[in-house]
Amino acid sequence: MTASAVEIQARTLSGYADASRLRQVHDRDWVLDQVPGEPEVLLDLGSGIGQLLRSALDRHPSLRLAVGLERSEHRIAEAAGRLRPYGDRVALHQADLTVPKPLEYRPDVVTMTSVLHWLYPDENRILAWVGDHLAPGGRFLLTTYHPARDEHGLGGEDDLVRDALVALGAERDSVPAVFAAGEEGGEGAVLPIATRTRTVDDLAGLLERYFQVESVLDRDAVVHVEDAGQYSHFHAATFGDYYSRLVPPERREEFFRAIGEAAWRRQGERGWVSNMPVRLWKLQHRD
């Protein structure tokens, strides 16, 4: 069976430059507006295709080094091409943030945008690591999304996935069990994103073990789409094959189509696909 274009996109996480315009492009300027002074070294955790690094280099001529840590080799390759004009002001490293390794850098600024939930339930590892690497007087700028969740721990993107699974024949009441056990022929359980995302209060307690919270900013992240296909590609580029593992391989093309149709239906009903709170935490070393 030949994989469809959207399945290949999900496997390689390609096309994120287009997908990010629906959500994360707004985070980049929001975060970089909080960078203090004239930083010399910036480290972006989960640096993806290098968009935040490029913006930081353009905005802050004082940066002599912008460092990216990213797990996906496909995204690192794309970032390398995007950042090639900046020469030796850029360093990219393939890294698993769940088991971070020591680095020689002591950044003035560390950024992490919409990544922390992927590290659940072991966020303490990367938080301790940042605390160890952040230069004296430095800042850690972190964004976290906080979708409402139901009694099963589903919310945000999980809701659209639930609609897609129902469209493919699942009983709505059975969907939490599908998440817990995986679909027959699939690859096992999938932890809902809304479960991976800690509440603001829980996260504040965790962060305060390692950092002092200097300030917080909140806004609503709203996603609109022009058609179902656009959201299918957004989902594939953003979440990869994480959710599609809930269905057997032969139904994954249908799944991506169904997720786009669910999003487009919601756009028609509500005027938007998703609308959830996002918080920007400005953190510094504890006294």
Side-chain angles (χ1 to χ4, degrees):
M1 182 177 65
T2 303
S4 66
V6 72
E7 289 176 274
I8 294 170
Q9 181 181 18
R11 291 175 191 169
T12 62
L13 295 171
S14 62
Y16 192 71
D18 291 331
S20 68
R21 294 189 183 101
L22 295 183
R23 182 180 292 165
Q24 284 196 268
V25 67
H26 305 293
D27 281 357
R28 290 199 297 274
D29 286 339
W30 194 41
V31 168
L32 292 175
D33 283 346
Q34 297 302 310
V35 173
E38 297 183 348
E40 294 187 11
V41 180
L42 180 144
L43 171 62
D44 188 26
L45 300 175
S47 53
I49 59 175
Q51 293 166 301
L52 185 143
L53 293 174
R54 182 175 66 179
S55 294
L57 287 161
D58 288 341
R59 290 180 58 151
H60 295 281
S62 61
L63 281 175
R64 58 180 176 80
L65 187 62
V67 183
L69 300 188
E70 169 59 43
R71 184 169 186 168
S72 166
E73 62 181 308
H74 299 285
R75 286 185 170 175
I76 287 178
E78 187 172 346
R82 175 171 282 105
L83 297 169
R84 189 169 293 115
Y86 300 91
D88 60 7
R89 294 177 69 203
V90 174
L92 301 173
H93 301 276
Q94 189 170 12
D96 182 351
L97 298 181
T98 64
V99 284
K101 298 178 180 179
L103 281 182
E104 60 188 276
Y105 312 110
R106 295 298 303 275
D108 308 287
V109 179
V110 176
T111 57
M112 178 187 276
T113 58
S114 192
V115 171
L116 192 65
H117 56 277
W118 291 114
L119 310 183
Y120 177 90
D122 298 313
E123 303 99 319
N124 58 300
R125 295 176 186 170
I126 195 65
L127 297 177
W129 185 95
V130 172
D132 289 341
H133 285 76
L134 191 63
R139 297 295 187 275
F140 179 27
L141 303 174
L142 169 71
T143 66
T144 56
Y145 285 81
H146 298 279
R149 64 176 73 162
D150 65 14
E151 67 273 20
H152 304 292
L154 276 67
E157 194 71 13
D158 308 321
D159 288 332
L160 287 171
V161 172
R162 175 163 32 199
D163 288 348
L165 293 173
V166 170
L168 295 180
E171 294 291 332
R172 181 166 290 273
D173 290 345
S174 75
V175 169
V178 174
F179 271 82
E183 189 72 55
E184 182 179 356
E187 299 169 17
V190 171
L191 191 64
I193 291 293
T195 298
R196 285 181 168 276
T197 305
R198 296 179 186 268
T199 66
V200 166
D201 288 342
D202 286 348
L203 185 54
L206 180 60
L207 292 171
E208 287 169 0
R209 297 181 196 173
Y210 304 95
F211 304 100
Q212 178 180 335
V213 180
E214 179 177 333
S215 63
V216 296
L217 295 172
D218 295 291
R219 70 175 182 86
D220 291 328
V222 184
V223 172
H224 304 272
V225 292
E226 298 174 357
D227 54 46
Q230 185 184 35
Y231 200 87
S232 294
H233 288 286
F234 167 79
H235 178 95
T238 303
F239 298 97
D241 57 5
Y242 183 73
Y243 286 110
S244 66
R245 292 178 289 148
L246 291 168
V247 302
E250 65 271 15
R251 301 205 70 188
R252 289 180 185 169
E253 183 176 2
E254 291 180 78
F255 171 82
F256 287 111
R257 185 181 306 113
I259 199 85
E261 290 170 351
W264 184 236
R265 191 162 51 247
R266 184 176 291 189
Q267 174 79 41
E269 294 168 353
R270 306 181 185 183
W272 42 262
V273 176
S274 63
N275 185 345
M276 73 179 78
V278 57
R279 171 162 287 196
L280 169 56
W281 309 77
K282 190 173 185 178
L283 308 164
Q284 56 183 295
H285 283 295
R286 294 194 64 83
D287 293 334

